[in-house]
Amino acid sequence: MTRSFWHRQHQAPDRWADVAIVGGGVVGCAVAFWLHRLRPRLRLVILEATSLADGASGRNAGFILPGATADFLKDCQRYGVSRARQLWHFTRQNREALLQELDPQRFNWEGSGALLVAGSAEEEKRLHEGAAHLRSEGVPAAFLPAAEINRRLQAKGFRGGMFLPEAGCLDPVALVHYLAACSEALVLTHQPVVALVPQQTCIRLETPYGAVEAGQVVLALNAYLPRLLPETAAYVQPVRAQMLATLPAAHRWINSPLYTHDGFFYVRQLFSGHVLVGGARHLHLEEEVGYVDTTTESLQKDLERYLHAYFPQTRTLSVMCRWSGTMGFSPDGLPVIGNLAGMEGSYWVGGFSGHGMGYAFRIGRLLAELVLDYPNPEGYTLFAPENRPTFTSAEASTAR
């Protein structure tokens, strides 16, 4: 990126912060919120390459789901029972903290629960068993047969599934702006950090329009982390997601967010009547990797086919807009938190694997506690990079 004479005359002067947070998405702004809550006198700066919530934080459906996948038995099979329990505990804390520490009206919270609906007989059986396991763990859950699912949704063709009353949904962009405002941080948008330069007493964050010097740094860049910190490509790979929104329907029939076919499709209808649908990535895996922000005709057609098949009443609804967003995926599907080498008390985080909203507010507190050197912050061992799988060198090259 070049700078004109005029840009140089008006560039921001160098600034000092106790903690600089790079990334103005939900995690970065949550870190700033918690740092301010736990240590109000800290001078905080949020640096964002574009605008707040311009990345995956503002391009998702706004679901707040528990666990790594919202499917407890699936989590148990992948991570083991003990770790699955810890993940569910952590993400339930995320929801509770959102409602207890914040004003839910500021981000249009809907505590409507969520429906997980099977796309196969095997998944239906797993969700049926999972509901019973969750109840034994003290988590409210109910299995609903296909007839009840279709009745509730005024839909056709869905299998049975699980209802999770503790889940919900929100406006993700409103949440990010709210957290940033509550943090009282200095927010510098359209200032991409292009280099981290350790100094004797601080870290210098270089941008095209000046620099920030900070005592500590948190990189909350998710998919874009390897572009600033290439070694993190072993843990974070960019994966594209696509969505569309229809024009408003005359009435609302989807009252709970819907997560189907192992989460590869998801639907939400707003109070306004707009229907949002996303997913279908599993049908286009090779194409949906990388940083290019664009929609593709083939995947968008799959989204429309899905919506029209299960909700025939949507066939008369025109598409209002289509969009994509780049997510950061990790090899095991869980977020990763690491230390910034040579920068004491500084951290990076990424790899939320399409479930960032379910972790973000609670992980913001975890990162704040790490920065403030709290002893043994709860949850850190879940996300530390030690003994975690990594991408192959060929896969990691995609993330650079």
Side-chain angles (χ1 to χ4, degrees):
M1 180 184 293
T2 63
R3 286 181 292 164
S4 73
F5 169 85
W6 307 110
H7 289 140
R8 291 173 185 270
Q9 302 310 301
H10 294 278
Q11 72 183 31
D14 289 356
R15 301 175 186 271
W16 165 262
D18 293 305
V19 185
I21 298 113
V22 184
V26 63
V27 175
C29 291
V31 173
F33 172 92
W34 282 111
L35 284 170
H36 179 65
R37 173 65 61 86
L38 299 173
R39 199 73 58 83
R41 293 187 179 182
L42 287 176
R43 288 169 292 181
L44 306 174
V45 172
I46 298 171
L47 294 116
E48 165 55 42
T50 53
S51 56
L52 291 180
D54 193 51
S57 293
R59 297 168 184 266
N60 63 81
F63 289 10
I64 302 294
L65 301 175
T69 63
D71 180 338
F72 183 65
L73 283 193
K74 187 177 179 181
D75 288 350
C76 288
Q77 291 165 4
R78 187 170 189 182
Y79 306 114
V81 174
S82 176
R83 198 172 192 191
R85 284 174 175 156
Q86 292 176 69
L87 289 166
W88 276 70
H89 174 68
F90 190 92
T91 50
R92 291 178 78 196
Q93 285 183 329
N94 181 77
R95 175 192 174 277
E96 291 168 5
L98 278 170
L99 301 183
Q100 292 173 3
E101 302 290 340
L102 305 175
D103 177 0
Q105 294 183 344
R106 294 287 299 274
F107 46 88
N108 299 321
W109 170 256
E110 291 184 45
S112 53
L115 282 166
L116 275 64
V117 180
S120 66
E122 185 276 332
E123 186 183 4
E124 186 173 31
K125 180 175 181 291
R126 191 176 69 238
L127 290 175
H128 188 277
E129 294 175 358
H133 277 77
L134 283 172
R135 289 194 298 272
S136 70
E137 297 281 342
V139 180
F143 181 81
L144 303 178
E148 177 62 14
I149 293 281
N150 287 291
R151 184 194 68 78
R152 287 193 181 199
L153 296 171
Q154 299 179 40
K156 293 184 177 180
F158 279 123
R159 292 179 176 270
M162 180 163 54
F163 179 65
L164 293 170
E166 290 186 342
C169 49
L170 48 72
D171 177 335
V173 174
L175 175 63
V176 171
H177 282 270
Y178 177 43
L179 291 172
C182 290
S183 75
E184 299 186 16
L186 173 65
V187 179
L188 300 176
T189 58
H190 303 282
Q191 298 213 33
V193 174
V194 296
L196 300 175
V197 185
Q199 306 288 298
Q200 190 170 2
T201 59
C202 65
I203 303 162
R204 186 174 176 87
L205 297 90
E206 301 282 357
T207 85
Y209 302 103
V212 171
E213 291 186 343
Q216 293 167 269
V217 171
V218 176
L219 303 183
L221 292 167
N222 200 22
Y224 295 90
L225 187 63
R227 287 189 161 181
L228 183 59
L229 204 65
E231 58 267 34
T232 60
Y235 296 102
V236 182
Q237 182 182 46
V239 175
R240 186 170 60 201
Q242 296 188 41
M243 293 190 67
L244 64 80
T246 72
L247 289 171
H251 68 283
R252 191 182 192 213
W253 65 88
I254 305 173
N255 295 310
S256 299
L258 182 64
Y259 200 66
T260 82
H261 296 73
D262 276 314
F264 282 114
F265 288 103
Y266 40 96
V267 185
R268 176 184 177 186
Q269 188 176 22
L270 307 181
F271 282 114
S272 60
H274 295 88
V275 180
L276 280 59
V277 58
R281 183 178 58 83
H282 62 306
L283 305 176
H284 307 269
L285 288 176
E286 291 186 4
E287 300 95 325
E288 297 303 296
V289 174
Y291 290 107
V292 179
D293 178 14
T294 188
T295 59
T296 59
E297 183 178 1
S298 58
L299 189 146
Q300 289 285 320
K301 284 184 176 178
D302 284 330
L303 292 179
E304 292 185 56
R305 274 191 286 267
Y306 167 86
L307 191 62
H308 297 165
Y310 291 103
F311 298 100
Q313 62 270 47
T314 63
R315 293 172 186 169
T316 59
L317 296 178
S318 299
V319 174
M320 175 183 171
C321 60
R322 307 174 191 273
W323 68 94
S324 67
T326 303
M327 306 174 289
F329 269 56
S330 69
D332 61 2
L334 299 180
V336 188
I337 296 174
N339 299 86
L340 278 170
M343 305 178 205
E344 187 176 355
S346 297
Y347 297 87
W348 55 263
V349 61
F352 287 88
S353 304
H355 294 273
M357 298 303 297
Y359 292 104
F361 192 53
R362 180 64 182 85
I363 242 171
R365 175 161 189 154
L366 171 56
L367 281 159
E369 291 176 351
L370 287 168
V371 166
L372 298 176
D373 200 25
Y374 278 35
N376 303 315
E378 183 183 357
Y380 179 55
T381 56
L382 280 172
F383 310 116
E386 289 77 20
N387 301 316
R388 298 280 295 278
T390 57
F391 288 117
T392 65
S393 56
E395 291 170 325
S397 66
T398 308
R400 295 191 176 94

